[in-house]
Amino acid sequence: MLYDLVKSAHIVAIVVWFGGTMAAVLALAYATPDIIAKFARFDRLVTTPALVIVWVAGMTMAIWYGWFNSGWLVTKLVFVVALSALHGVIAGRLNRAQTGFSSKPASTLNAIPAMALALAIIVTLAVTKLF
């Protein structure tokens, strides 16, 4: 039962984190500075805490079940670290954009296909535990 609750929290947090990050990318490309400021606040209050929950819940399950020796988890973590870092970059761009300093925010759109592919790989590895 506790595992199911932690796993559910992990999945819900992933949806919130990923959705918030994708919305931030789109805001950077298309929104006005006042809307970008609202997205920056949302990122601080919702998306970033969701990222923390993703990590805490995921690491909790990995510790409980001894998955750190599994190739699938190590591979998955490479992609999760990359997406976490990308979230940091996007959050930084949001903060700069709301203060009026922004360098080519539309170029952030290039991250969307990579984010989607990384998420597909992460989900596939978590569900199938291939190796």
Side-chain angles (χ1 to χ4, degrees):
M1 170 89 168
L2 184 56
Y3 170 77
D4 291 333
L5 290 174
V6 172
K7 185 176 179 180
S8 295
H10 186 64
I11 292 168
V12 169
I14 290 167
V15 171
V16 172
W17 167 45
F18 197 79
T21 304
M22 290 289 255
V25 168
L26 294 171
L28 283 168
Y30 300 115
T32 60
D34 58 320
I35 299 296
I36 288 174
K38 291 176 182 175
F39 272 95
R41 185 168 192 266
F42 182 84
D43 183 71
R44 280 190 309 278
L45 297 176
V46 178
T47 308
T48 300
L51 173 57
V52 172
I53 293 168
V54 167
W55 275 99
V56 170
M59 290 294 106
T60 299
M61 290 184 294
I63 290 166
W64 284 350
Y65 291 94
W67 291 334
F68 286 106
N69 293 328
S70 304
W72 69 268
L73 181 64
V74 173
T75 306
K76 177 186 170 196
L77 285 174
V78 168
F79 288 96
V80 175
V81 167
L83 282 179
S84 297
L86 183 58
H87 172 258
V89 168
I90 291 167
R93 287 185 182 186
L94 275 175
N95 290 332
R96 285 190 301 279
Q98 74 176 344
T99 60
F101 176 76
S102 180
S103 59
K104 300 180 184 175
S107 68
T108 309
L109 284 173
N110 297 332
I112 290 177
M115 290 172 62
L117 179 61
L119 182 63
I121 292 168
I122 289 167
V123 169
T124 301
L125 289 167
V127 170
T128 63
K129 296 178 179 46
L130 287 173
F131 46 91

